[in-house]
């Protein structure tokens, strides 16, 4: 009996079931992303980011050595911001971006954006900490890998920010259909008031 009342026209002449379907379609469309050309830019930036780990981040220590805190990283006096930067960059900028691109889920893109944004701060602190070493230190300054990785993360964050806040064509279409349905609902009510 409940099923029959849900499909009956309401006081405006449309079914509540149809409206619920349109709202569900709108929610579903809001959960996906359509990065378009930005997907290519993000993919290239992720490759550059991951490639920067093979380049020197500080002195003779490359990014992978900073990540694992090997002997070269210890000899270069790698500070906590550098280690946090490479971890955040790998997890969010690299893996998170790949997952978001493959799945096309809005939540995955948002997580990649948020984590990558945090890694920008750690990257800046990493470069700054390499430039402000004590005078008696023999450790090297910021390497090309660190600087290149930091710029790659900035590009990733910029493009994920644009993708996350952009509305997809499917989302705009679902919103338009829902607005049309609501307009149809309100037209008979307005006529009755006259």
């Amino acid at each position: 009996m409940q099923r029959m009342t849900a499909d009956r026209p309401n006081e405006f002449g449309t079914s509540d079931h149809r409206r619920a379907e349109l709202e569900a379609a709108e929610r579903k469309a809001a959960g996906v992303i359509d990065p378009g050309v930005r997907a290519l830019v993000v993919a290239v930036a992720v490759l550059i980011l991951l490639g920067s780990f093979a380049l020197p981040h500080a002195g003779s220590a490359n990014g992978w050595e900073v990540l694992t805190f090997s002997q070269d990283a210890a000899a270069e006096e790698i500070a906590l911001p550098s280690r946090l930067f490479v971890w955040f960059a790998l997890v969010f900028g690299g893996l998170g971006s790949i997952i978001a691109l493959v799945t096309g889920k809005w939540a995955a893109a948002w997580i990649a954006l948020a984590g990558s944004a945090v890694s920008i701060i750690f990257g800046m602190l990493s470069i700054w900490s390499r430039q402000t070493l004590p005078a008696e230190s023999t450790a090297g300054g910021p390497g090309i890998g660190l600087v290149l990785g930091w710029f790659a993360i900035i590009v990733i964050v910029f493009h994920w920010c644009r993708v996350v806040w952009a509305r997809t064509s499917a989302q705009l279409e679902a919103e338009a259909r829902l607005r049309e349905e609501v307009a149809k609902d309100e037209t008979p009510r307005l006529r009755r008031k006259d």
Side-chain angles (χ1 to χ4, degrees), residues 83-94 114-116 118-119 122 153:
R83 290 189 301 213
L84 289 173
F85 170 69
V86 293
W87 274 106
F88 271 78
L90 177 67
V91 171
F92 295 104
S116 297
V118 171
S119 72
F122 287 128
I153 279 290

Side-chain angles (χ1 to χ4, degrees), residues 93-127:
L95 298 176
S97 293
I98 291 169
I99 290 169
L101 287 172
V102 169
T103 63
K105 298 290 183 186
W106 183 84
W110 200 173
I111 290 169
L113 167 65
S116 297
V118 171
S119 72
I120 287 177
I121 296 166
F122 287 128
M124 180 188 62
L125 290 173
S126 299
I127 293 170

Side-chain angles (χ1 to χ4, degrees), residues 58-74:
S60 63
N62 67 28
W64 299 113
E65 292 170 334
V66 172
L67 192 67
T68 60
F69 203 64
S70 70
Q71 290 179 350
D72 284 343

